[in-house]
């Protein structure tokens, strides 16, 4: 007989990975209400925010709310790494199978009786004899037919289905023609399925949903996810520190919040580190904060070095220049070129196009900055004049 071993050590309350529970989730009260309301009113939603701001967390949090959990089947796919309609279909089919598999054999039979073209994917694990979904991409011979079957399955499900598709802008890069029109048509005809389209590339997402020439034009309600309010986040940090008899001042939390401009994942990472550095009955001091950030940068150093090693010289120079400025403006001006000893305005233009496409640099109203905030700090420390916390 197996004995359940419970860990005595309490968990770090600052989660940096997948959603855990309400207790470790900060705020998003209004956003949760709004998203739940959109979905329960049978509308589709578009959720846009920069990377690591909390889209996946918000969707998962909504899926845990009783209005949703009790009444819908919920599915979540991240299509960031998919490059074709075939891969999209594979991802969606597999997710539906995995979520509904615990419902038993009857469900599995039903799944493959409707989605007949995925029947070869049904296998029994050689060791455990548990049903598994295992298919080579090449076995999806006619993607459009399989897609139609998947929608037929959603349509026939015993409960309404909510399907969240993360990094949805990816579909615009698929080589197949008419993917948007095809998906839009299926979604329009499926009244048992509600969709959340999440994405981090604002421009691409806006083009898909708000250009009147595109199939998804105005087909979903928009929710733009911003930073968590400073004071609400401060209260969350203090509450979790105090619950473990650890202490930290609101002033220091504010300093970190401003330093990372409230960007959720960076804050969570730093407070996760700070929480573990601070002993019970101890006060977290500024030296801990410096140490925590230093630890973070060190742990990512190999990754950052790897990224730099893949960049051509011209792009690296422009990246350093932007990091030195923090928020860089007029980057193709003669002044900027001269100040940072760059080659020419046109070479900056070519480099910035590449850096943006690689998501190393982000642009907002012609102001450029390094996308990853830890990478930015590491660059200023190694190729600039360093950073100042306060
Ligand atoms: N409201 C919140 N309270 C506490 N932690 C959060 C909250 N929202 C997100 N996080 C944490 O921040 C990190 C980033 O969040 P999440 O993965 O949801 O962002 P994302 O916008 O989906 O990012 P990506 O664009 O990379 O997919 C996660 O580790 C998550 O645990
Ligand atoms: Mg996400």
């Amino acid at each position: 007989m197996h004995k359940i071993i419970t860990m005595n050590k309490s968990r770090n309350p600052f989660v940096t990975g997948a959603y855990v529970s309400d207790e470790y989730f900060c705020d998003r009260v209004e956003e949760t209400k709004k998203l739940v309301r959109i979905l329960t009113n049978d509308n589709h939603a578009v959720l846009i925010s920069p990377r690591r701001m909390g889209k996946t967390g918000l969707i998962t949090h909504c899926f845990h709310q009783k209005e949703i959990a009790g009444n819908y089947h919920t599915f979540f796919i991240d299509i960031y790494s998919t490059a074709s309609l075939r891969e999209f279909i594979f991802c969606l089919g597999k997710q539906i199978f995995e979520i509904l598999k615990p419902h038993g054999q009857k469900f599995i039979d039903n799944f493959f009786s409707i989605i007949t073209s995925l029947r070869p994917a049904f296998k029994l694990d050689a060791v455990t004899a548990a049903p598994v979904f295992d298919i080579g991409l090449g076995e999806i011979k006619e993607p459009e037919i399989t897609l139609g079957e998947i929608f037929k399955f959603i349509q026939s499900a015993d409960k309404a289905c909510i399907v969240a598709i993360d990094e949805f802008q990816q579909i615009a890069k698929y080589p197949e023609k008419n993917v948007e029109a095809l998906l839009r048509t299926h979604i329009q005809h499926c009244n048992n399925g509600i969709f959340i389209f999440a994405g981090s590339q604002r421009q691409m997402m806006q083009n898909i949903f708000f250009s009147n020439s595109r199939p998804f034009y105005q087909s979903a309600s928009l929710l733009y996810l911003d930073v968590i309010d400073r004071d609400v986040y401060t209260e969350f940090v203090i509450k979790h520190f105090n619950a473990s008899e650890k202490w930290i001042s609101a002033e220091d939390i504010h300093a970190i919040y401003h330093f990372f401009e409230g960007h959720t994942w960076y804050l969570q990472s730093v407070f996760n580190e700070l929480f573990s550095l601070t002993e019970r009955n101890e006060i977290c001091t500024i030296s801990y904060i410096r140490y925590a950030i230093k630890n973070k940068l060190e742990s990512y150093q190999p990754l950052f070095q790897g990224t730099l090693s893949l960049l051509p010289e011209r792009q690296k120079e422009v990246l350093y220049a932007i990091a030195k400025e923090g928020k860089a403006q007029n980057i193709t001006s003669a002044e900027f070129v001269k100040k940072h000893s760059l080659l020419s305005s046109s070479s900056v233009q070519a480099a910035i196009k590449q850096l943006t496409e690689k998501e190393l640099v982000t642009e907002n109203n012609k102001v450029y900055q390094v996308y990853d905030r830890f990478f930015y700090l590491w660059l200023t420390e190694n190729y600039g004049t360093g950073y100042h916390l306060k």
Side-chain angles (χ1 to χ4, degrees):
M1 213 172 93
H2 293 289
K3 193 163 174 254
I4 297 169
I5 301 166
T6 48
M7 300 254 291
N8 230 345
K9 194 175 166 295
S10 59
R11 77 167 354 268
N12 188 311
F14 301 96
V15 179
T16 55
Y19 180 84
V20 176
S21 70
D22 194 35
E23 191 187 346
Y24 303 112
F25 194 71
C26 175
D27 194 26
R28 300 304 192 199
V29 176
E30 286 307 315
E31 293 90 341
T32 302
K33 260 196 223 155
K34 186 168 174 195
L35 185 53
V36 168
R37 195 172 56 232
I38 294 173
L39 301 172
T40 52
N41 277 312
D42 293 337
N43 289 314
H44 308 301
V46 187
L47 178 60
I48 304 178
S49 86
R51 301 214 67 181
R52 297 170 163 183
M53 196 59 91
K55 294 179 298 297
T56 306
L58 177 66
I59 294 170
T60 320
H61 188 61
C62 287
F63 283 179
H64 279 77
Q65 303 303 304
K66 64 175 188 311
E67 303 96 302
I68 302 288
N71 300 316
Y72 298 85
H73 291 300
T74 55
F75 306 98
F76 185 98
I77 56 170
D78 183 336
I79 61 167
Y80 191 64
S81 61
T82 63
S84 65
L85 180 63
R86 198 187 292 259
E87 281 188 69
F88 174 90
I89 289 165
F90 174 82
C91 211
L92 183 57
K94 187 172 167 62
Q95 164 72 358
I96 296 177
F97 177 81
E98 296 297 341
I99 293 286
L100 296 180
K101 184 170 75 174
H103 293 234
Q105 190 59 41
K106 210 174 126 219
F107 150 73
I108 294 171
D109 292 343
N110 185 36
F111 181 88
F112 288 111
S113 76
I114 296 177
I115 312 178
T116 51
S117 60
L118 286 182
R119 213 176 271 156
F122 179 67
K123 305 200 173 112
L124 292 178
D125 186 277
V127 181
T128 63
V132 288
F133 187 95
D134 181 16
I135 196 170
L137 277 173
E139 289 177 63
I140 300 179
K141 296 264 182 316
E142 291 174 283
E144 294 195 20
I145 292 183
T146 309
L147 188 67
E149 290 173 345
I150 291 179
F151 274 94
K152 200 166 142 202
F153 178 81
I154 293 175
Q155 185 63 20
S156 71
D158 58 341
K159 283 196 249 176
C161 299
I162 300 178
V163 183
I165 308 176
D166 209 353
E167 304 300 349
F168 186 70
Q169 73 269 342
Q170 202 63 24
I171 65 154
K173 298 182 192 160
Y174 293 169
E176 294 93 343
K177 285 204 181 76
N178 302 329
V179 173
E180 278 174 50
L182 184 68
L183 275 176
R184 174 75 187 122
T185 306
H186 279 301
I187 289 170
Q188 223 161 5
H189 291 128
C190 176
N191 55 22
N192 201 38
I194 296 160
F195 287 75
I196 304 173
F197 309 101
S200 54
Q201 290 179 14
R202 191 176 182 159
Q203 201 53 52
M204 284 184 81
M205 288 294 283
Q206 283 180 350
N207 289 346
I208 294 175
F209 291 95
F210 302 103
S211 316
N212 58 13
S213 59
R214 302 279 282 263
F216 276 95
Y217 177 59
Q218 289 193 337
S219 62
S221 310
L222 174 70
L223 209 128
Y224 185 79
L225 193 65
D226 209 335
V227 294
I228 297 173
D229 176 80
R230 185 195 73 170
D231 294 342
V232 177
Y233 192 73
T234 303
E235 205 179 298
F236 173 80
V237 173
I238 291 179
K239 179 182 84 185
H240 283 297
F241 267 72
N242 294 3
S244 295
E245 294 168 52
K246 301 180 181 194
W247 317 104
I248 184 165
S249 74
E251 193 198 350
D252 283 344
I253 302 171
H254 292 173
I256 300 171
Y257 183 95
H258 287 297
F259 193 60
F260 290 102
E261 294 179 76
H263 206 135
T264 317
W265 181 76
Y266 299 93
L267 293 177
Q268 287 288 104
S269 300
V270 169
F271 284 106
N272 178 293
E273 188 82 17
L274 284 176
F275 184 85
S276 68
L277 284 172
T278 313
E279 298 286 341
R280 205 168 272 275
N281 285 320
E282 229 190 356
I283 300 172
C284 174
T285 61
I286 189 78
S287 64
Y288 280 9
I289 297 171
R290 291 210 177 90
Y291 188 66
I293 295 175
K294 191 167 148 280
N295 274 353
K296 282 278 140 204
L297 299 188
E298 266 171 24
S299 72
Y300 291 120
Q301 172 138 318
L303 194 77
F304 296 155
Q305 284 170 334
T307 304
L308 282 186
S309 74
L310 295 174
L311 286 184
E313 196 81 22
R314 296 280 167 256
Q315 291 175 35
K316 256 190 280 198
E317 287 167 359
V318 173
L319 183 69
Y320 297 156
I322 290 172
K324 271 185 197 150
E325 297 275 328
K327 291 184 195 286
Q329 289 177 331
N330 303 324
I331 61 166
T332 50
S333 67
E335 194 192 340
F336 189 87
V337 170
K338 184 157 174 266
K339 180 174 173 194
H340 295 284
S341 313
L342 302 168
L343 186 66
S344 66
S345 168
S346 61
S347 79
V348 172
Q349 205 144 27
I352 196 66
K353 187 164 178 285
Q354 290 295 317
L355 291 169
T356 329
E357 264 168 29
K358 291 173 189 160
E359 293 190 358
L360 292 172
V361 167
T362 168
E363 182 260 350
N364 203 350
N365 294 329
K366 302 269 171 245
V367 178
Y368 293 86
Q369 73 188 105
V370 178
Y371 204 158
D372 184 303
R373 284 162 201 269
F374 287 139
F375 192 29
Y376 161 66
L377 295 178
W378 184 82
L379 285 170
T380 58
E381 201 173 51
N382 290 279
Y383 300 94
T385 52
Y387 57 87
H388 302 284
L389 186 56
K390 62 179 206 175

